Amino acid sequence: VAAALRISSALHVLTVVALGATALLAGLGGPFLGALALAAVLLVWEHRLVRPDDLSRVDAAFFTINGWVSVALFLGLALDMA
């Protein structure tokens, strides 16, 4: 479980970096980058909710917070494209 959580953390960091690089290459601006910053904070919060010895909040971390990350990124992209 601990190794899986470390891998998940590393992949979330890679995701934020890749989305940031994609945003810069695509010429996206403040709305998307702000949403990406919010998504990064939410992902950090997600990883603070779940511990290797306590998976009782994994549903909240996985379903709820990932849902908010998706909404934030969608709205940031929609606002930036508008």
Side-chain angles (χ1 to χ4, degrees):
V1 173
L5 291 174
R6 283 192 301 276
I7 291 168
S8 176
S9 294
L11 290 173
H12 279 142
V13 168
L14 181 63
T15 298
V16 171
V17 170
L19 285 172
T22 301
L24 294 176
L25 290 172
L28 298 174
F32 183 78
L33 294 175
L36 182 57
L38 174 61
V41 169
L42 288 171
L43 290 172
V44 168
W45 181 29
E46 177 179 341
H47 284 278
R48 294 183 59 84
L49 285 176
V50 180
R51 304 224 181 272
D53 59 343
D54 180 15
L55 298 177
S56 64
R57 296 180 284 186
V58 73
D59 285 343
F62 181 72
F63 293 108
T64 306
I65 295 177
N66 279 341
W68 285 111
V69 166
S70 300
V71 169
L73 291 173
F74 172 76
L75 290 176
L77 182 61
L79 288 171
D80 209 322
M81 300 296 287

